[in-house]
Amino acid sequence: DVKVTQSSRYLVKRTGEKVFLECVQDMDHENMFWYRQDPGLGLRLIYFSYDVKMKEKGDIPEGYSVSREKKERFSLILESASTNQTSMYLCASSLVAGGNYNEQFFGPGTRLTVL
Amino acid sequence: QKEVEQDPGPLSVPEGAIVSLNCTYSNSAFQYFMWYRQYSRKGPELLMYTYSSGNKEDGRFTAQVDKSSKYISLFIRDSQPSDSATYLCAMSVSSYKLIFGSGTRLLVRP
């Protein structure tokens, strides 16, 4: 079974703090993704990575950065946390498959609260 | 207008009912149509996917795609309390990007 793990289930931080969210997958997937999930807005893509040290902006990258130094690990960084970054953060991974098939496997999520 | 529209619910049904969950979309380039299920405090997991138009059945679940109407459906027969979850439709535009609906929360009452 594919396993995607995230470093924390719940996190509380203060405005202005630097926040690191870690994600690890164990199935040698090339692609990794960071989403945030908010009520009524669904999942929105923040960043994704298709290879080590490679990254692409998603739909809402402002205020975030990412790092992928190893294939199995993808980190999301909030340089200076703000209250509007309070959300559920979901990491996902996928294989490079043929055509546009894109099955993503998700971690359990990190619920981040910024006070 | 969002690319994918999904009624947020909640949808409350008695055990044993047939459930119909739906999404509409605007981009005719979508090829793969997926349904993810997300239990409370968990990440989404893929339930079913369909390529292009038509039906696909898996046990009590049937996924249906009507590309001419840009409408997809997930039917759940003989619904169980364990089906209570949020159901997200998702559509693939590339090998990297999925567009998700906002999710429909389903509650199956015993």
Side-chain angles (χ1 to χ4, degrees):
Chain A
D1 274 356
V2 175
K3 195 154 187 193
V4 180
T5 56
Q6 294 183 229
S7 51
S8 306
R9 295 300 305 275
Y10 300 94
L11 213 50
V12 179
K13 296 291 181 180
R14 297 217 173 267
T15 301
E17 279 193 77
K18 191 168 186 174
V19 182
F20 293 87
L21 302 181
E22 302 281 333
C23 175
V24 177
Q25 51 96 2
D26 67 358
M27 285 302 290
D28 204 34
H29 284 175
E30 291 88 352
N31 302 326
M32 295 188 75
F33 308 83
W34 276 107
Y35 293 89
R36 62 178 284 176
Q37 184 176 29
D38 300 288
L41 297 177
L43 274 73
R44 293 181 290 166
L45 182 64
I46 304 171
Y47 268 97
F48 70 95
S49 168
Y50 52 89
D51 201 350
V52 174
K53 297 193 188 293
M54 305 304 289
K55 60 186 179 185
E56 292 283 343
K57 291 180 181 179
D59 299 314
I60 51 164
E62 296 79 19
Y64 303 95
S65 62
V66 291
S67 172
R68 192 164 180 204
E69 297 296 318
K70 292 186 177 181
K71 190 174 184 180
E72 68 271 18
R73 191 178 295 268
F74 193 34
S75 301
L76 179 70
I77 303 146
L78 287 66
E79 295 289 342
S80 177
S82 63
T83 54
N84 62 13
Q85 293 178 310
T86 292
S87 187
M88 169 71 88
Y89 289 88
L90 289 160
C91 175
S93 71
S94 72
L95 276 172
V96 175
N100 290 339
Y101 184 66
N102 183 357
E103 178 182 356
Q104 296 182 13
F105 296 85
F106 285 85
T110 295
R111 181 160 295 283
L112 172 67
T113 301
V114 183
L115 301 174
Chain B
Q1 184 192 1
K2 289 182 183 176
E3 280 192 280
V4 178
E5 299 274 2
Q6 185 175 10
D7 189 327
L11 181 61
S12 180
V13 300
E15 184 175 352
I18 296 174
V19 175
S20 172
L21 303 166
N22 310 294
C23 289
T24 58
Y25 64 94
S26 55
N27 187 344
S28 56
F30 291 141
Q31 290 184 307
Y32 285 94
F33 302 89
M34 299 171 170
W35 286 95
Y36 279 80
R37 178 175 60 194
Q38 184 176 21
Y39 289 115
S40 182
R41 289 184 287 277
K42 297 276 179 73
E45 57 178 348
L46 182 67
L47 192 59
M48 295 182 71
Y49 77 90
T50 312
Y51 176 72
S52 196
S53 278
N55 291 3
K56 186 174 184 179
E57 194 172 314
D58 184 2
R60 296 184 295 110
F61 298 88
T62 300
Q64 198 170 73
V65 175
D66 181 350
K67 291 192 87 174
S68 62
S69 302
K70 296 191 178 71
Y71 190 87
I72 71 169
S73 300
L74 178 71
F75 298 98
I76 307 174
R77 288 183 300 280
D78 187 26
S79 56
Q80 303 295 309
S82 58
D83 295 327
S84 297
T86 296
Y87 290 80
L88 300 143
C89 61
M91 302 178 193
S92 180
V93 293
S94 73
S95 56
Y96 299 117
K97 192 161 184 182
L98 285 178
I99 308 293
F100 285 88
S102 54
T104 300
R105 194 155 66 91
L106 172 67
L107 175 63
V108 181
R109 307 185 307 270

